[in-house]
Amino acid sequence: MPRTIRTLTASEVETLVDWAAREGWNPGIDDATAFRAADPDGFIGAFAGGEMVAGISAVAYGSGFGFIGLYICRPDRRGEGHGKAVWDAGMARLGNRIIGLDGVAEQRANYQRMGFVPAYETVRHSGRPAGLPGGGDMRPVTVADMAGLFAYDRQCFPAPREGFIGEWLRQPRIALLSAGSDAIAGYGVARRCREGFKVGPLFADATDVALAMVADLSDATAGEELHIDVPAGQVQFTTMLQAAGLVPGFTTTRMYKGGKPGNAPSTVFGVTTLELG
């Protein structure tokens, strides 16, 4: 049966996110709209017989960085080459950029064979935190904060992404920042998912700011379960999260092809989203 590869429409991106939910990835409510704000042409599907059978996100953040995610083939159409076809299309779209992805353990060797180099492990911590210290001059993000927040985000993420962040901070997502007397010291976002809330990004200058952000986001979500994908190198932070009742679970490996980006990894306490980096 002939196969067609093309850019996904808005409704087809929603279908791909629904597939992710069925895979157990627990995406957020209305993630598709924010994802497309990052790069509306960055979602590719394989179609056979008029039906979408596989999909991938290959989001370009400018000319220097891109990210692969949402790589899914429909279970009933696996083994037919559709997944490889969208992978090749996504990689071709991103070209010679530095390319990142968050790979599960069983696919790590495959990605390494395709030129991806492990950078760090990410461990999802889940639970209802109790006893974390609050404070740190936390407050909701306002329109007046956006220019400074974009600049801060650029220090923490490998590339500018104003379009995505502008959409990602919209209600009903909960967005808080820590603003001292001189400058932004961190910010975090919680979004409702199929189960509980995911926190991401969680960027901060210091561990105590990140912990206070988790405490205040937990209060803002009325104590519902939180999920945070934390780089394993944040040892003090994860130790405190576990002492507060969060449990480590699902792991991925952040991998890059074409070099390593120049952002400051020490400021990353929670990955924005495994799908888009």
Side-chain angles (χ1 to χ4, degrees):
M1 183 178 296
R3 177 171 53 229
T4 301
I5 304 293
R6 64 167 173 79
T7 302
L8 298 181
T9 66
S11 63
E12 289 163 350
V13 175
E14 291 178 359
T15 297
L16 186 57
V17 172
D18 286 341
W19 287 4
R22 289 199 290 269
E23 293 288 324
W25 298 356
N26 193 28
I29 305 302
D30 199 32
D31 272 0
T33 300
F35 286 174
R36 291 187 76 251
D39 179 2
D41 297 325
F43 300 84
I44 299 168
F47 294 80
E51 296 183 341
M52 188 165 76
V53 293
I56 198 167
S57 59
V59 169
Y61 294 101
S63 61
F65 183 67
F67 204 85
I68 291 286
L70 285 172
Y71 180 31
I72 307 171
C73 185
R74 222 171 65 187
D76 62 317
R77 302 304 298 267
R78 291 173 183 171
E80 300 174 6
H82 304 305
K84 179 64 162 56
V86 293
W87 171 270
D88 290 345
M91 292 297 291
R93 181 174 193 271
L94 295 180
N96 61 0
R97 294 173 175 84
I98 296 174
I99 303 172
L101 60 78
D102 287 308
V104 295
E106 55 266 30
Q107 293 297 326
R108 175 170 166 166
N110 289 335
Y111 294 138
Q112 286 181 287
R113 283 192 290 270
M114 290 182 278
F116 285 84
V117 177
Y120 58 85
E121 300 297 308
T122 298
V123 183
R124 179 164 297 169
H125 285 70
S126 301
R128 294 174 171 82
L132 289 177
D137 298 318
M138 302 298 167
R139 61 173 176 79
V141 175
T142 68
V143 173
D145 297 316
M146 296 307 291
L149 191 145
F150 288 153
Y152 187 82
D153 185 81
R154 179 63 187 90
Q155 299 173 41
C156 306
F157 190 78
R161 52 176 184 168
E162 285 87 351
F164 168 74
I165 290 297
E167 185 66 36
W168 197 245
L169 298 182
R170 292 184 185 276
Q171 295 180 346
R173 292 180 184 85
I174 300 164
L176 302 178
L177 63 76
S178 173
S181 57
D182 297 325
I184 292 173
Y187 86 99
V189 179
R191 76 192 196 277
R192 182 172 289 283
C193 294
R194 268 63 168 184
E195 298 177 5
F197 282 78
K198 281 185 180 177
V199 174
L202 179 58
F203 296 157
D205 289 349
T207 301
D208 60 339
V209 176
L211 290 168
M213 188 78 68
V214 174
D216 284 12
L217 286 171
S218 179
D219 288 345
T221 61
E224 290 199 41
E225 185 175 43
L226 301 183
H227 307 278
I228 312 172
D229 293 306
V230 185
Q234 297 287 13
V235 176
Q236 182 184 8
F237 182 64
T238 56
T239 298
M240 293 293 289
L241 289 183
Q242 291 171 30
L246 273 69
V247 177
F250 176 69
T251 64
T252 56
T253 302
R254 173 61 61 89
M255 308 178 78
Y256 295 110
K257 181 177 182 179
K260 291 183 68 172
N263 60 308
S266 63
T267 63
V268 180
F269 290 85
V271 172
T272 304
T273 162
L274 299 181
E275 294 82 8
L276 265 68

